[in-house]
Structure formats: C-alpha cells, structure tokens
Amino acid sequence: MADPLALDGVRVIDCSRVLAGPFCGMLLADLGADVIKVEDTGSGDESRTWPPMVEGESAAYLVCNRNKRGVAVDLKTPEGAEVLRRLAAGADVLIENFRTGAMEGFGLGYEALARLNPRLVYCSISAFGRTGPRRDEPGYEALMQAFSGIMSITGEPDGPPVRCGVSFLDLATGILAAFGIVSALRLRDRTGRGQRVDCSLLATALGLLNYHAEGYLLAGQVPRALGSAHPSLSPYRNFRCRDGQWVFVAAANDRFWQRLARALGLEELAADPRFATNVERVRHRRELEARLEEAIARYDRAELLARLAEAGVPATPVNTVDQVLADPQTAALGMIEHVLHPRLGTIPLLGTPVRFSAMTPGVRRPAPLQGEHTDEVLAECGFSAAEVAALRARKVVQ
C-alpha cells in the first residue's frame, strides 16, 4: 500500500492552461490530490504545442500535468457548463486562469459554484488581478516581467532590459496559488466553508521585488540593472576565467572578502580603506571589481575554484542546464524521476522539490492524453454510459 500523502482525498478540478495554473495543480497532485485536468475539445492546453517535443509530446505539458487525470469538455456549450457544474459539486478545489469574467460568462463563476458547493475553494489566476483599471487586460509572463519593473533590473549595466530565462512569475504564482489553496482548505477544516483565492502575476512580481521595492519605498532609491551582481553586496557576481569559462564568486561579507583578496594575492586591496567594509565596497564597486576581473582572468576555472575552495571562499561554476542535471548533487536530491507514458514509454520527469520525513510525494502517473479519462471521471460523477455517449456525439466532451 502506498504511503499516505497530505492531500489524499482532496479532489481538484483544474481548468487552467499553460503554466501558472497547471503548475499549481501539479504541486497539489504531487501531494496526493486527485487532480482532474479539464481541457477544451479543440486543440487542448496550448502548452501541448510548445517545443521541444518528442513524438508530438511537449516537455512543458508533460512536466506540469503529471499525476493528473484528463477530461475534455466544451465549456462554451450549456451542456459542457453543466458537466463542469457536476464536477465542481463534488470537488474540494477549482483552479481557473481564464481572462477575468470568462468563467462568469459560462455561468461558472465563484458565486454560482459556491451556491452549489459552499465548501468549494475556488482559485482564480490572472495577469493583473480581478480589480483595478487593468483587470480585463490579457497578460503573459514576459509582459508582466516588463510591466512590473523586473526587466528594468535584469541585464547588464547600460544594456537593454532582459527577460529572465526562467518563467519564474508563472511558476512562483503557481506556488503561491497552491499555498493559498492549502491555507483555504485548512480554514475550511475549522469553518466548513470554502472561499475564493485570488492570485495574479503582477501581485507575485511586486512581492518578489521585495527588498528592491522596499528600498525605493523607504529610501527613494530606484534599482538598476547590475548583470549578475547584487545591489547590496560586492564582490558578488560572475567573473570570467582565462579559459573563457565563468565562475560566480560570493564574497558576501567582510570575512569572505579578506579570504578572497589573500587567495588572489591582492593583500593591498584587503588593506585599502575603500574596500574595508561591504558598504565601502558597494560604494567603490567599479574600481574593486575591475581589479578582481584582472586577477581572476589569470586563472583557468578549475584552478581558480580549487584555490577559492582551499581559502574558504564561496564560489561555483556557472553551469549550463545539461551540466547541473548531470551533477551528482542533483542525483542525490532525487530530483529526476521516471514514469511510464502510453506513447513514449519510460520518460524522465523533474520530481517534487520538497522533501518530507513522513511522506513521499512524487511522480505517480504521466500527464494525461487529451480526454483520456473523460468516461472514467464522468461515471464517478453519476453520468451513465448513454449520457456520456450522447455528449460525445454532440461534441460536448471528448
């Protein structure tokens, strides 16, 4: 018998597409929830079309929809909306990331479904949130990185604004949505009533600006792009070695700075009052880091890392994605799992990034094919085989 998981017995109706919502549903599914992915009867989740692909199956779709069952329903039809109402009537959670007002247009908004199921936790994910002058505007990850100011502090000094290579706003919004859902379920345990949980990419972005935003609110300092450097620490950035490879050096306090200076034979800099404290090093960042660039460029990466390790200075190679996935530390964390896919055979999938001492979340089933579990799930909701066949004949379900 499988070990119990925290969300065993929780049923989630996941009407979301692409990344933020599906990632939220994936986290809940990893922790044991029965997550039913609802796709349209046309092309389905847009992430199914994202390269890279293997035999027509998208990596993005596979990783964010594992551990879910899949049904295909046309919510634009009255019959399809009724199918979702019956699903929601017996569910604990519903996740949606349609444009603001779309679910209400289908007759499937929070107020309507809460009347059917007062215990329902209804999570809406949007770009700008459900209130304010921009509530109806569409938004995508890169647009929100731009609008939020995050692009303005990403990239090299005096260079153009740069999109972060990871879709971290979508993913972090998914994490916060899962946190909000579990919090709402915890309160429901005490009150017996569900509630709406609202998440937006903009609110996530503002929250993640954190000390950058607070620095402006408190001190009026507008953050700027510093490349790989940190606005409050120096030296704390990438440096290029003689062999063209890069290292990140994190001499984040005065103790590490003294060690770094000695390891590089720069004792005169360690004694220089301009660099004696972190505040002074940040103030004189340009002069200090220019000297460090010259010194580090005399070493190949392996030699430099060995020297810094011996001196007790935090530093790391700047890996490519293939290098970190092949690193023994990644293997030790158990972050790559395997699952049997009906078309692809056994495939690798990134695992759950949280570990527990008394339960073992992980990959239990592959992402569903479009409509793979429609008959099974609708039967659980009381639809007869004849009713399902009639809905399929009218293309309401697939």
Side-chain angles (χ1 to χ4, degrees), residues 46-101:
E46 297 98 302
S47 69
R48 288 183 180 275
T49 68
W50 289 10
M53 296 182 179
V54 174
E55 297 181 23
E57 298 292 333
S58 164
Y61 176 81
L62 290 172
V63 71
C64 286
N65 293 286
R66 84 288 188 91
N67 289 337
K68 303 177 185 179
R69 296 189 289 167
V71 303
V73 183
D74 184 357
L75 299 182
K76 298 182 179 68
T77 66
E79 299 97 330
E82 179 59 27
V83 169
L84 191 73
R85 277 189 280 272
R86 288 178 63 173
L87 288 174
D92 299 284
V93 177
L94 184 141
I95 305 167
E96 62 92 9
N97 63 351
F98 289 95
R99 286 183 66 167
T100 300

Side-chain angles (χ1 to χ4, degrees), residues 24-356:
C24 168
M26 181 209 83
L27 293 172
L28 301 176
D30 284 1
L31 288 168
D34 175 20
V35 178
I36 299 168
K37 182 175 183 66
V38 179
E39 296 180 82
D40 64 53
T41 53
S43 57
D45 190 321
E46 297 98 302
S47 69
R48 288 183 180 275
T49 68
W50 289 10
M53 296 182 179
V54 174
E55 297 181 23
E57 298 292 333
S58 164
Y61 176 81
L62 290 172
V63 71
C64 286
N65 293 286
R66 84 288 188 91
N67 289 337
K68 303 177 185 179
R69 296 189 289 167
V71 303
V73 183
D74 184 357
L75 299 182
K76 298 182 179 68
T77 66
E79 299 97 330
E82 179 59 27
V83 169
L84 191 73
R85 277 189 280 272
R86 288 178 63 173
L87 288 174
D92 299 284
V93 177
L94 184 141
I95 305 167
E96 62 92 9
N97 63 351
F98 289 95
R99 286 183 66 167
T100 300
M103 287 292 275
E104 286 78 5
F106 300 149
L108 301 170
Y110 169 66
E111 290 78 10
L113 295 187
R115 285 194 292 271
L116 288 176
N117 179 0
R119 292 175 56 80
L120 184 68
V121 172
Y122 189 111
C123 179
S124 294
I125 298 174
S126 61
F128 289 98
R130 295 182 54 81
T131 58
R134 294 184 181 271
R135 65 183 181 275
D136 296 326
E137 294 185 19
Y140 297 92
E141 164 80 26
L143 296 180
M144 302 313 296
Q145 285 192 33
F147 183 86
S148 68
I150 287 173
M151 271 194 192
S152 76
I153 58 174
T154 307
E156 294 299 323
D158 303 317
V162 175
R163 174 190 177 274
C164 176
V166 172
S167 296
F168 72 98
L169 286 183
D170 271 330
L171 297 171
T173 301
I175 294 168
L176 290 172
F179 169 74
I181 287 168
V182 171
S183 299
L185 289 173
R186 182 70 183 89
L187 183 61
R188 193 188 71 175
D189 289 343
R190 302 206 301 270
T191 67
R193 296 193 64 84
Q195 62 181 292
R196 178 194 284 282
V197 176
D198 260 341
C199 296
S200 71
L201 271 66
L202 179 57
T204 296
L206 294 170
L208 293 177
L209 278 169
N210 195 267
Y211 58 85
H212 292 282
E214 190 61 31
Y216 172 73
L217 292 173
L218 189 65
Q221 182 172 323
V222 178
R224 57 190 178 89
L226 293 171
S228 62
H230 193 289
S232 304
L233 301 169
S234 182
Y236 194 88
R237 49 160 280 200
N238 289 330
F239 291 92
R240 192 170 188 172
C241 300
R242 181 171 58 192
D243 55 7
Q245 300 190 86
W246 293 83
V247 297
F248 192 99
V249 177
N253 58 40
D254 296 342
R255 183 175 72 259
F256 290 148
W257 157 241
Q258 292 291 326
R259 293 177 185 175
L260 174 65
R262 288 194 297 270
L264 297 176
L266 299 175
E267 286 82 358
E268 77 280 7
L269 295 187
D272 191 322
R274 294 177 301 166
F275 312 131
T277 66
N278 180 63
V279 170
E280 291 301 316
R281 289 193 298 278
V282 170
R283 183 173 292 129
H284 298 97
R285 178 195 304 272
R286 193 179 298 273
E287 307 98 289
L288 171 64
E289 294 181 3
R291 292 291 303 276
L292 289 175
E293 286 174 357
E294 294 175 5
I296 287 172
R298 296 196 293 265
Y299 297 93
D300 288 343
R301 183 163 78 174
E303 179 187 3
L304 176 70
L305 288 171
R307 179 179 287 266
L308 297 184
E310 184 178 359
V313 178
T316 183
V318 179
N319 283 322
T320 55
V321 172
D322 57 314
Q323 288 171 333
V324 72
L325 291 177
D327 194 273
Q329 186 60 37
T330 299
L333 292 176
M335 277 300 296
I336 300 177
E337 300 186 42
H338 293 83
V339 70
L340 183 62
H341 187 274
R343 289 180 180 164
L344 303 180
T346 299
I347 60 171
L349 283 177
L350 286 175
T352 309
V354 184
R355 293 291 179 266
F356 301 86

